[in-house]
Amino acid sequence: VQAIVDNLFPASLFDVSGGVFQVERVTDFSDTLSFDLFSEFSYALTDDLEFTVGARFTRDQRETRFFSTVDQPNPLTPIITQGLPGLIAGETGGVISSADQPGLEDTFGGFSWRAVLNYQLGANKFAYFNYSRGRRAEVIQDEFTRQGSAVVCAFEIGPAETVDSYEIGFKGAFYSNRIVLDLASYFYDYNNFQTAVDNIQNANIGD
């Protein structure tokens, strides 16, 4: 924005050092307190085949906050925006927090797990199959709108992301461990994939 305005309205035209420009600041930030409990168990099905299973419980306590302000106003901005002080956001009048909205859930918990089969093919050689369920906790997303000169921010919960991972492979050492060979094939199946999408006025959690 600054470069465009500087070209259209040079400093000599308004006698402003560095040109006419506007500085706006939009900030998203959050706090997360996480607790994990993990356990794993292995059992030899035969002399060569071992089964391992593990599980994890995760509890996250989250708070999301939003803040926007016009640090350096441009006298031309109200003309461009029909009276609004900000080109992108504007003034929130302080920090807006998800904790200020009654009933908004901000503590999330869930399980993830894995199961592994290891088959010993010989000395320092084995094949394996691994299945695991991964998880990223729900997110609290902020989305702001402008109402006149004010900024109104609302929060909503994005669902937890899960991924089912399948892996099959081989690991082995040859010639007195001078050569080590690792082979693996992977497949991932995502659900509710979380990512940030910027469209100037907000950032959304995408499925």
Side-chain angles (χ1 to χ4, degrees):
V1 174
Q2 178 180 340
I4 296 174
V5 174
D6 282 344
N7 290 331
L8 293 177
F9 306 100
S12 58
L13 182 61
F14 293 94
D15 196 25
V16 178
S17 178
V20 178
F21 61 92
Q22 177 153 315
V23 178
E24 299 183 33
R25 183 157 43 102
V26 179
T27 306
D28 291 286
F29 49 107
S30 63
D31 290 327
T32 299
L33 178 64
S34 185
F35 169 80
D36 286 87
L37 183 64
F38 175 77
S39 179
E40 188 171 272
F41 172 77
S42 295
Y43 180 74
L45 299 174
T46 69
D47 289 341
D48 299 321
L49 183 62
E50 182 181 72
F51 175 68
T52 300
V53 62
R56 179 189 301 271
F57 175 76
T58 303
R59 180 181 183 273
D60 295 293
Q61 182 175 351
R62 293 187 168 184
E63 178 186 2
T64 296
R65 287 168 286 173
F66 177 84
F67 169 79
S68 66
T69 185
V70 178
D71 290 335
Q72 179 170 325
N74 179 350
L76 298 177
T77 298
I79 300 175
I80 300 172
T81 62
Q82 298 180 348
L84 299 179
L87 290 169
I88 298 176
E91 297 279 356
T92 57
V95 175
I96 303 175
S97 170
S98 62
D100 298 331
Q101 294 191 5
L104 181 65
E105 195 67 40
D106 62 359
T107 300
F108 313 103
F111 287 93
S112 56
W113 56 83
R114 76 178 190 128
V116 183
L117 280 173
N118 282 310
Y119 185 72
Q120 191 78 28
L121 299 171
N124 297 324
K125 301 176 184 66
F126 66 92
Y128 66 92
F129 173 76
N130 176 44
Y131 163 71
S132 61
R133 160 64 66 89
R135 181 180 181 276
R136 294 175 67 184
E138 293 86 344
V139 294
I140 302 176
Q141 172 187 314
D142 57 49
E143 183 169 346
F144 67 86
T145 57
R146 297 194 302 185
Q147 295 184 5
S149 60
V151 176
V152 178
C153 186
F155 298 89
E156 62 181 24
I157 297 174
E161 173 188 313
T162 60
V163 55
D164 290 310
S165 172
Y166 304 86
E167 178 184 352
I168 187 170
F170 168 84
K171 295 179 182 290
F174 304 88
Y175 300 104
S176 301
N177 295 328
R178 288 194 294 268
I179 297 178
V180 177
L181 178 64
D182 290 344
L183 299 174
S185 179
Y186 305 87
F187 176 77
Y188 299 105
D189 183 15
Y190 284 91
N191 187 36
N192 295 321
F193 182 75
Q194 297 176 1
T195 187
V197 179
D198 293 328
N199 63 357
I200 301 301
Q201 287 198 337
N202 53 41
N204 295 322
I205 298 300
D207 291 345

